[in-house]
Amino acid sequence: MTSDENNPSPKDSSRKRSASALHTGPRKKATSSNPIVLHGRHFGRTVFALCNFPALLTAGILRLEKLQDSSIEDYPADIRREHGVFMNVIDSYPGLLDHLTRGEEEDIIHVGELLGKGASGARGDDTKTLKSAVLKWLVPRGQAVIPPLSRNIKSDRGFNHEVTGALLCPAGLDWSDAETKQSLKSGETAVCGDQWPMFLYAGYRYDPEDPWKGLLRSEILIFGFKHVFTSPSSVDKEPKATRSSNASLHGMKSVTPGSLAYIATQVRFSLSSSSVFSRTDTVTNSENFYHSILDLLEDPDESEEVADLMTWWTRRIFPNSSSSQRPISKNSALSKIREKCAALRELAAADVN
């Protein structure tokens, strides 16, 4: 960390918490290979993407002081979530907390800006490459998209095209219905960020009686994830992260809720007709969409379904790292060892009782 060279100074009690940190701040151009910038790139992709990092860090440091005399459980849900993201930043970068607590407000803001540069830079890079890559995933291999779509101009995507319109059509609506299609195309039917599109579902089929069925397990999401994390070439090959892939560079061996929400948001935007990714874009409403996916994946009441979903994803993207989660083959040496160990534990427990 280049900012470690700053002289430590007492905590500045005048630091003030700005607006919610879990919303994007001003757009800044990503530059340099500063380690904090690089960390911000990975953090944005895998934990929390749309974040005002200077505000997050400033508020988090202030809150740590207050938590010496209180519990985080005493705070509202949105603050608890924000603090969770803050602690994730702190825990994922050794020495960062010590540096921030010893520094002045300017140091905190500077580190936040570096993290923000990384996150926004990664988001911009992925938005750019997915814009053209997604066109190869719209129809089965060997088939052509009719009418053809431009690689560089997005105005003919979204509800303006039969294929992208069907993928973006909110689950529960019938894209084949002419009236529904025209209403979506004209904008008469406004689509909010929490109205999830059909492309999130396996086979692009939605079951209103079982809304979890196939959710976030579609082929186009798998392609998008591989494209960003294990290299574009891995989309058509066995999922194996190369030494230079984003996943390998950061030691990523499992799919996270944040990374899944990030890819879903990126793919959704690439299918849309909007040309610029913006949190204030009321057409794509990307920020609301992203938050709604994360809300589900972080909901304690959905933990069983989410755990199953994360295991499913990790086996497909990082098959070599998920062997411990796979069923053990019957009659194998390992299964015999496990059985013997279990039997010994049962005997020990019986002796105690």
Side-chain angles (χ1 to χ4, degrees):
M1 285 168 39
T2 58
S3 52
D4 278 342
E5 297 172 359
N6 296 325
N7 294 324
S9 62
K11 298 174 185 175
D12 185 351
S13 60
S14 64
R15 295 169 191 151
K16 295 181 180 180
R17 180 178 181 272
S18 60
S20 176
L22 300 189
H23 295 276
T24 48
R27 296 182 64 191
K28 293 181 179 293
K29 185 177 181 180
T31 58
S32 84
S33 57
N34 182 291
I36 301 181
V37 174
L38 295 177
H39 186 69
R41 291 179 68 87
H42 187 64
F43 189 91
R45 282 171 169 149
T46 58
V47 181
F48 209 94
L50 307 178
C51 186
N52 184 339
F53 284 96
L56 178 75
L57 297 184
T58 302
I61 294 298
L62 278 173
R63 199 178 300 112
L64 283 180
E65 298 172 1
K66 297 178 180 179
L67 287 175
Q68 293 178 6
D69 302 314
S70 62
S71 169
I72 189 62
E73 298 303 322
D74 297 333
Y75 288 80
D78 60 330
I79 300 300
R80 294 200 303 271
R81 182 182 195 180
E82 180 180 314
H83 193 70
V85 175
F86 166 75
M87 291 306 301
N88 208 315
V89 174
I90 295 302
D91 293 341
S92 62
Y93 200 103
L96 182 59
L97 179 59
D98 182 57
H99 172 71
L100 295 177
T101 53
R102 290 187 295 107
E104 298 181 354
E105 182 176 8
E106 290 73 17
D107 299 319
I108 298 175
I109 293 174
H110 178 61
V111 171
E113 289 175 343
L114 291 175
L115 289 168
K117 284 182 179 180
S120 63
R123 187 169 66 248
D125 291 344
D126 296 336
T127 298
K128 181 179 179 180
T129 60
L130 283 169
K131 180 169 68 172
S132 57
V134 75
L135 299 182
K136 298 182 293 184
W137 312 330
L138 298 181
V139 294
R141 291 183 180 87
Q143 296 184 20
V145 177
I146 301 175
L149 286 167
S150 170
R151 293 170 59 88
N152 300 314
I153 301 174
K154 297 184 65 185
S155 58
D156 53 354
R157 302 187 190 186
F159 297 122
N160 299 319
H161 193 280
E162 183 66 27
V163 177
T164 55
L167 294 175
L168 289 171
C169 182
L173 296 185
D174 184 5
W175 177 251
S176 64
D177 179 74
E179 186 175 340
T180 298
K181 185 181 300 184
Q182 180 57 36
S183 183
L184 288 168
K185 184 175 182 179
S186 66
E188 180 181 349
T189 296
V191 179
C192 298
D194 58 1
Q195 290 180 278
W196 294 342
M198 289 298 298
F199 82 82
L200 293 183
Y201 286 88
Y204 311 135
R205 291 188 294 271
Y206 166 68
D207 182 356
E209 300 300 320
D210 185 8
W212 257 111
K213 184 177 180 181
L215 178 61
L216 296 169
R217 302 188 188 216
S218 66
E219 186 176 56
I220 197 170
L221 281 181
I222 295 174
F223 291 162
F225 202 104
K226 290 181 180 179
H227 178 90
V228 170
F229 288 102
T230 62
S231 82
S233 61
S234 69
V235 171
D236 299 317
K237 301 176 183 178
E238 184 71 19
K240 180 181 180 181
T242 62
R243 291 175 58 187
S244 60
S245 73
N246 290 318
S248 293
L249 287 174
H250 296 277
M252 183 181 183
K253 297 181 179 180
S254 63
V255 175
T256 64
S259 61
L260 187 50
Y262 176 79
I263 292 300
T265 303
Q266 284 282 11
V267 171
R268 179 174 177 267
F269 179 77
S270 70
L271 294 172
S272 76
S273 58
S274 295
S275 58
V276 179
F277 190 106
S278 172
R279 68 185 181 89
T280 59
D281 183 355
T282 57
V283 177
T284 58
N285 208 357
S286 294
E287 191 160 15
N288 187 19
F289 174 78
Y290 176 78
H291 280 277
S292 70
I293 296 291
L294 265 187
D295 285 344
L296 175 73
L297 298 181
E298 295 178 350
D299 187 346
D301 293 335
E302 306 293 342
S303 59
E304 185 175 342
E305 289 82 358
V306 172
D308 181 65
L309 177 66
M310 293 299 105
T311 299
W312 185 91
W313 268 95
T314 296
R315 287 176 178 173
R316 279 155 182 76
I317 306 299
F318 306 105
N320 295 329
S321 67
S322 61
S323 58
S324 61
Q325 302 180 46
R326 292 181 179 278
I328 300 174
S329 300
K330 293 182 178 180
N331 299 320
S332 67
L334 178 58
S335 69
K336 297 298 182 184
I337 291 173
R338 295 283 172 83
E339 289 173 4
K340 184 176 180 179
C341 183
L344 289 173
R345 282 199 300 269
E346 289 180 4
L347 286 174
D351 291 340
V352 172
N353 296 330

